Amino acid sequence: MSTPRFLTMPPGVRSRHIETTVGTFAALEALPVSGIPERWPALLVPGLTGSKEDFIAVLQTLAQSGRQVIAIDMRGQFESNGPDDRSAYSCAALGNDIDVLAQVIGHGGPIHLVGHSFGGLVTREAVIDGRTRFGSYTLMSSGPAAIVGPRERAGRTMISELPDLGLEHLWHNRMEPEALSAGVSDEIIAFLRKRLFANSRTGMYTMTEEVLSAPDRCDELTQVDVPTLVLYGEHDDGWPPHMQSEMARRLDADCVVVPGAAHSPAVEAPETTAAALIRFWNAAESRSRG
């Protein structure tokens, strides 16, 4: 579960909705506090139990580098509506959403794409199979295929219990105790509960199945000419750090390990994470102009 540290919007950040041919998506948009965006825009995609709010701590810093930066809720997540149709929540369907969103945000030009955790599995579908020209691609705390380890076990528990016991059971027996033991504030716990119950139950079930069964598409990703960054926390409890490092090697990608962070570096080490993204984005733009 991704847990934002605060919910107050920094200067230059606002809520909005993005209309597309595949639906309406709730978003947080950050712009430079002064001046106009002169660099390529960026699109940030959250993980399975996350939302756009997971990126609040990095949005202003990223935008101050001269960019429009947009974080979204995927369909069926929190404030983005989704149908009661399991086929709408496959990685391929969600990846098509990202492709369409990127075209709308980028107006046909290059755009930086970041996918966190399950969002990494979704966004690579857009990179491999979509039509958008991505200026760069970042896999943040994501992996080459289905998730493993403790989060795999948690996912299998979720899909075994969700159909019969529902979201209430998931909240009271897993998510709330985790948040309380981590010392999360009452305000954030209230937000986490609100977010969970706003999710599509069909979407959550299907996306959990997807993260547990995703195939390895690294070889296909290497065929796409896009600068790629693999970024993860040194204590990641999702895909193990060594697995992500090996994925970076296979992809011939840049690799950044964020000290002190676990599975959510944008929350746990926002300044370090933002600085790494800005360096990578600037380098990708410089190579393109060169």
Side-chain angles (χ1 to χ4, degrees):
M1 177 175 61
S2 296
T3 304
R5 287 188 176 176
F6 62 88
L7 299 172
T8 303
M9 297 299 169
V13 179
R14 67 176 181 125
S15 298
R16 61 171 290 195
H17 286 83
I18 302 174
E19 303 286 343
T20 77
T21 56
V22 293
T24 301
F25 295 86
L28 295 178
E29 177 186 48
L31 294 168
V33 175
S34 61
I36 61 171
E38 297 179 339
R39 293 184 174 273
W40 297 345
L43 173 60
L44 315 181
V45 181
L48 172 61
T49 58
S51 66
K52 58 193 179 301
E53 286 75 15
D54 296 339
F55 298 108
I56 285 177
V58 298
L59 287 176
Q60 184 182 38
T61 305
L62 296 176
Q64 286 303 103
S65 66
R67 296 179 172 84
Q68 176 196 37
V69 182
I70 291 180
I72 57 114
D73 294 334
M74 289 189 283
R75 71 162 70 182
Q77 281 187 326
F78 193 26
E79 295 178 322
S80 290
N81 292 329
D84 190 21
D85 175 3
R86 292 188 60 186
S87 67
Y89 302 102
S90 68
C91 282
L94 296 170
N96 182 68
D97 289 349
I98 301 306
D99 185 35
V100 172
L101 272 163
Q103 292 174 54
V104 171
I105 295 166
H107 303 288
I111 181 171
H112 300 292
L113 181 63
V114 178
H116 174 240
S117 192
F118 176 65
L121 302 180
V122 169
T123 51
R124 73 178 184 181
E125 299 287 317
V127 174
I128 294 170
D129 298 325
R131 297 169 294 166
T132 301
R133 177 191 168 198
F134 290 106
S136 77
Y137 178 41
T138 299
L139 288 153
M140 179 186 292
S141 301
S142 193
I147 199 163
V148 298
R151 289 180 181 261
E152 176 192 6
R153 293 191 290 274
R156 296 199 181 282
T157 298
M158 184 188 298
I159 61 173
S160 69
E161 295 178 348
L162 191 57
D164 295 327
L165 301 176
L167 293 173
E168 285 279 357
H169 178 84
L170 180 63
W171 171 252
H172 289 297
N173 290 275
R174 177 186 166 196
M175 293 186 169
E176 185 179 35
E178 286 180 2
L180 289 170
S181 67
V184 175
S185 69
D186 291 344
E187 178 194 20
I188 299 297
I189 287 179
F191 166 77
L192 295 175
R193 187 182 191 282
K194 177 183 176 182
R195 179 172 73 179
L196 176 66
F197 288 108
N199 284 335
S200 161
R201 181 167 160 172
T202 299
M204 179 165 287
Y205 182 90
T206 307
M207 287 190 285
T208 303
E209 286 189 323
E210 291 285 291
V211 79
L212 292 170
S213 62
D216 188 323
R217 300 196 70 186
C218 284
D219 289 345
E220 294 167 90
L221 189 55
T222 61
Q223 303 304 307
V224 182
D225 184 20
V226 58
T228 302
L229 169 67
V230 173
L231 182 150
Y232 55 91
E234 66 172 330
H235 304 301
D236 199 331
D237 62 348
W239 289 267
H242 71 83
M243 183 178 289
Q244 296 185 62
S245 175
E246 172 62 15
M247 179 177 68
R249 186 197 65 77
R250 291 176 61 193
L251 297 174
D252 193 23
D254 292 358
C255 187
V256 171
V257 182
V258 180
H263 192 58
S264 300
V267 174
E268 298 147 353
E271 293 304 320
T272 304
T273 299
L277 288 173
I278 290 168
R279 285 195 303 270
F280 175 61
W281 292 347
N282 288 348
E285 293 178 25
S286 295
R287 286 197 297 269
S288 176
R289 286 193 293 267

